[in-house]
Amino acid sequence: MKTYQVGIIGATGMVGQRFATLLENHPWFQVKALAASARSAGKIYKEAVGKRWAMKTPMPAAMADMTVLDATADMEKIAGMVDFVFCAVDMKKDEIRALEEAYAKLECPVVSNNSAHRGTPDVPMIVPELNADHVKVIEYQRRRLGTKRGFIAVKSNCSLQSYVPALFPLSSFGVEKALVCTYQAISGAGKTFQTFPDILDNVIPYIGGEEEKSEQEPLKIWGHVDPQKGEIVNAASPAFTAQCLRVPVSDGHMAAVFVSFGQKPSKQQMLDCWKGFSGRAQALDLPSAPKQFLHYFEEDNLPQTKLQRDLEGGMAVSIGRLREDTQYDYKFVCLSHNTLRGAAGGAVLMAELLCAEGYMD
């Protein structure tokens, strides 16, 4: 595979920092540009971040002295320096939509961690193991934008990465409805325990916009590319309902899932589906792909956030406590690392898929 020059837009934030650490020694991607708001522009990266470096590993030495560019004012310069950009900016949604489309129209593909374009019908929202075929919608998006190379692809909300990968392989049994309660880490809000003292000894039963995303975004993943409309048509089912809580955990989103089927499988059939499941990411042997996507734990007290969130580099999903339910068919718990599989890592894996499928050439 060739080497691609990449940029990180929103490099000073928590997800941008995670992108920096993941790309430091990436075999395909070399960071050529770092960009952020006008406040950070002109400073070297280590000065722009200052004391806000939130990663457990040191700032990549090769990036520490790179001059941070202005994500908006230097857009044309950045687009001319790189093959594509990762985007994780903290802006209003309409501003993000405009920014990402502007990069795409400069023939610079955008792999976005932001939510602004998740509802755009011709923008693929890809979990590489689940709906890699949605890349086909890019050709229709390019026609709309009037581009040859430029496009936008987004990753889904971080909390979905725990429960949707567990439910999707069970589609053959007719997943009809799912009730999901998520217990989400503070890094999902860009916080650490030092910057979020109110979370200590506390649980906050509200995360703005999270429940709507948790109920609506899975239907796009379950959807299909309609060549007549030139867009992704969302699936009509499963029906999701969700409650999302912020809990005093640094990293890792856990979900308690209750599910009903059209044709109820046996417990062993469900376990076999999970054990044998792999997707396009594994078939292509992408650098960031976990060897085994879904891991089931037989122990009653597993998975645990602290013990399993870093499984396979934080890119695998852990499942446990599968049992029959009195109101739904089954219930279980699942866990994913929210800033790796759920955010920057998922976006890097999606970029690898897009490269392998020829969309970055």
Side-chain angles (χ1 to χ4, degrees):
M1 179 62 67
K2 62 179 278 190
T3 299
Y4 294 85
Q5 306 297 313
V6 306
I8 305 172
I9 311 299
T12 57
M14 184 173 282
V15 176
Q17 293 175 26
R18 180 66 79 180
F19 273 124
T21 61
L22 291 175
L23 297 172
E24 181 179 14
N25 298 304
H26 194 280
W28 297 1
F29 305 150
Q30 181 178 3
V31 177
K32 191 76 172 179
L34 300 173
S37 68
R39 294 189 308 273
S40 298
K43 300 176 182 176
I44 61 172
Y45 188 45
K46 63 185 177 186
E47 291 176 353
V49 174
K51 296 180 179 179
R52 293 181 294 115
W53 184 256
M55 301 295 105
K56 294 175 183 176
T57 54
M59 180 180 287
M63 299 178 212
D65 292 320
M66 288 178 65
T67 300
V68 177
L69 301 172
D70 187 316
T72 303
D74 294 325
M75 195 180 299
E76 290 190 22
K77 179 179 179 180
I78 295 165
M81 295 170 64
V82 302
D83 294 306
F84 66 92
V85 295
F86 293 100
C87 190
V89 293
D90 183 11
M91 300 164 65
K92 294 178 181 177
K93 281 195 176 184
D94 57 343
E95 295 173 342
I96 295 172
R97 279 192 286 268
L99 180 79
E100 292 180 344
E101 282 211 1
Y103 272 96
K105 287 178 178 179
L106 288 170
E107 302 293 358
C108 180
V110 178
V111 178
S112 178
N113 189 73
N114 302 302
S115 64
H117 273 293
R118 289 179 193 157
T120 305
D122 60 7
V123 172
M125 184 174 71
I126 296 171
V127 180
E129 287 86 353
L130 307 184
N131 62 334
D133 61 313
H134 283 196
V135 298
K136 293 181 293 185
V137 82
I138 289 172
E139 65 178 283
Y140 303 108
Q141 184 194 150
R142 282 172 168 163
R143 290 178 199 172
R144 174 175 65 85
L145 295 176
T147 60
K148 293 182 178 180
R149 284 191 75 250
F151 66 88
I152 303 160
V154 298
K155 57 153 293 297
S156 70
N157 191 43
C158 53
S159 64
L160 271 66
Q161 306 290 331
S162 56
Y163 61 90
V164 169
L167 289 169
F168 196 90
L170 307 174
S171 296
S172 61
F173 302 110
V175 181
E176 291 188 339
K177 62 178 181 177
L179 183 155
V180 181
C181 294
T182 62
Y183 306 88
Q184 301 186 202
I186 60 174
S187 57
K191 303 287 189 180
T192 64
F193 287 119
Q194 289 71 36
T195 61
F196 196 9
D198 289 349
I199 198 66
L200 296 173
D201 193 30
N202 197 15
V203 171
I204 299 174
Y206 174 71
I207 306 172
E210 199 75 6
E211 288 160 2
E212 293 83 355
K213 295 173 188 174
S214 300
E215 294 170 355
Q216 295 166 10
E217 289 185 18
L219 298 178
K220 186 169 186 177
I221 294 172
W222 253 275
H224 68 279
V225 177
D226 185 331
Q228 299 299 318
K229 294 183 176 181
E231 62 184 42
I232 296 165
V233 176
N234 288 7
S237 62
F240 284 88
T241 185
Q243 283 209 114
C244 302
L245 291 74
R246 188 74 71 194
V247 296
V249 167
S250 59
D251 295 299
H253 288 354
M254 185 170 280
V257 182
F258 302 78
V259 59
S260 290
F261 298 94
Q263 298 175 309
K264 183 180 177 180
S266 68
K267 180 179 177 180
Q268 189 58 50
Q269 284 177 308
M270 293 176 69
L271 293 173
D272 289 344
C273 278
W274 288 334
K275 183 178 181 180
F277 185 77
S278 65
R280 188 67 175 151
Q282 285 71 37
L284 292 169
D285 195 23
L286 299 177
S288 299
K291 298 301 180 187
Q292 184 175 335
F293 184 32
L294 307 176
H295 293 249
Y296 185 80
F297 292 86
E298 297 284 354
E299 298 88 342
D300 287 338
N301 64 339
L302 296 179
Q304 291 182 26
T305 304
K306 200 171 184 178
L307 299 180
Q308 273 77 45
R309 63 188 169 199
D310 292 317
L311 192 62
E312 297 214 40
M315 293 297 287
V317 174
S318 302
I319 311 170
R321 300 205 68 209
L322 175 62
R323 59 223 190 273
E324 292 194 67
D325 184 61
T326 56
Q327 298 181 43
Y328 288 74
D329 287 333
Y330 287 97
K331 53 191 171 186
F332 56 88
V333 298
C334 37
L335 169 74
S336 65
H337 195 302
N338 58 298
T339 69
L340 290 170
R341 167 56 72 166
V348 171
L349 182 61
M350 179 169 59
E352 293 168 0
L353 172 72
L354 291 164
C355 290
E357 300 286 20
Y359 285 89
M360 298 299 194
D361 295 336

